Amino acid sequence: MNQMGIGMTSQRTRERLIQRLMDQGITHFEVLEAIRSMPRHLFVDEALAHRSYEDTALPIGYGQTLSQPYMVARMSELALARGRPGKVLELGSGSGYQTAILASLVGEICAVERIKPLVERARKQLRSLKIRNVRLRHGDGLEGWSSEAPFDVILGAAAPEQVPAGLLEQLAPGGRLILPVGGRRQTLMMVTATPDGYVEEAVEAVNFVPMISGVER
Ligand code: SAH
């Protein structure tokens, strides 16, 4: 990496990102620590490394984006709101950045991604970071991962038009689905499996890539 790359990925740049997340209302200490210590620049192309600690989504190829740090932080906070989840299903792992953040905060992660080269790249990246509590599969996240269900949390960074009913069935009792839902206008939804049924809460307006059914080689 050149001089500038090293400078822009410095500790100071990362501290600025953490401050920005706190200014936006992120308070969970472990979440902030996980983001502070994760080298986000390793998840993007080297040409974009100098922007990797800005609070923006960044392209990762195949028309997809690495999630904005604020969204990763927000969804992680929601995932941890009732304590440390044991088993998490992540839909649309993309670069593996959100997966890597979550890996230090939860028991284990099953992650599904529909674009094969992204699966391979993320798998390599997670291995080089010595993250071992993640299983990554090439598949359609809309189908969930039934042989590994139930999950304490199901979370995703791509938006289906509606809450997928089939995914709710893979939640453990008390479990939560955290997912952007909608078309041009999306809302981050949190759906909790309670003894009285599924309780839906709208968290905030968001902007994610669409969740697309089927897989790409
Ligand atoms: N958190 C990821 C976000 C990647 S963007 C990151 O930080 O890199 C969302 C991802 O969802 C894309 O990689 C896209 O290919 C994937 N995706 C979209 N629909 C999907 C589906 N039905 N099943 C699995 N992955 C899907």
Side-chain angles (χ1 to χ4, degrees):
M1 196 179 283
N2 62 27
Q3 273 321 104
M4 188 178 115
I6 291 167
M8 295 305 280
T9 54
S10 72
Q11 207 52 39
R12 193 166 51 88
T13 327
R14 293 195 200 185
E15 288 308 328
R16 240 186 344 245
L17 171 61
I18 298 305
Q19 187 56 52
R20 207 188 128 92
L21 296 178
M22 288 165 58
D23 292 346
Q24 291 178 93
I26 305 296
T27 57
H28 199 291
F29 179 74
E30 277 188 275
V31 169
L32 290 166
E33 276 308 298
I35 292 178
R36 192 198 306 270
S37 59
M38 184 59 61
R40 190 170 185 249
H41 62 276
L42 299 180
F43 292 85
V44 293
D45 194 88
E46 213 173 315
L48 286 169
H50 66 290
R51 301 194 54 200
S52 47
Y53 298 96
E54 292 175 16
D55 188 23
T56 61
L58 292 170
I60 52 172
Y62 312 93
Q64 305 305 319
T65 54
L66 187 141
S67 299
Q68 180 192 2
Y70 169 74
M71 279 326 305
V72 172
R74 191 80 179 95
M75 289 174 98
S76 302
E77 263 193 356
L78 292 171
L80 296 176
R82 301 240 178 91
R84 188 182 171 95
K87 198 169 188 182
V88 174
L89 174 66
E90 189 196 8
L91 312 174
S93 47
S95 69
Y97 175 69
Q98 164 105 63
T99 323
I101 297 286
L102 273 176
S104 66
L105 302 170
V106 308
E108 57 174 319
I109 302 177
C110 297
V112 185
E113 167 57 54
R114 68 181 291 278
I115 299 177
K116 191 145 195 231
L118 289 179
V119 175
E120 282 157 7
R121 208 196 289 165
R123 196 175 274 147
K124 218 167 106 191
Q125 197 52 254
L126 294 171
R127 195 179 303 140
S128 76
L129 289 167
K130 301 196 164 39
I131 291 171
R132 302 185 211 282
N133 57 340
V134 175
R135 256 167 307 156
L136 196 52
R137 191 167 70 92
H138 178 226
D140 182 355
L142 286 167
E143 293 172 8
W145 193 332
S146 56
S147 61
E148 290 292 337
F151 301 98
D152 301 307
V153 169
I154 300 179
L155 153 165
E161 293 275 344
Q162 287 162 348
V163 174
L167 288 179
L168 294 177
E169 288 164 17
Q170 297 188 16
L171 282 177
R176 267 162 307 149
L177 173 74
I178 301 161
L179 199 65
V181 174
R184 270 168 48 84
R185 296 172 66 156
Q186 302 169 1
T187 308
L188 182 62
M189 298 296 298
M190 181 158 85
V191 188
T192 308
T194 78
D196 304 321
Y198 297 106
V199 176
E200 287 194 12
E201 288 166 70
V203 180
E204 60 188 64
V206 291
N207 187 15
F208 281 90
V209 296
M211 189 166 285
I212 299 166
S213 62
V215 298
E216 266 179 54
R217 302 247 128 225

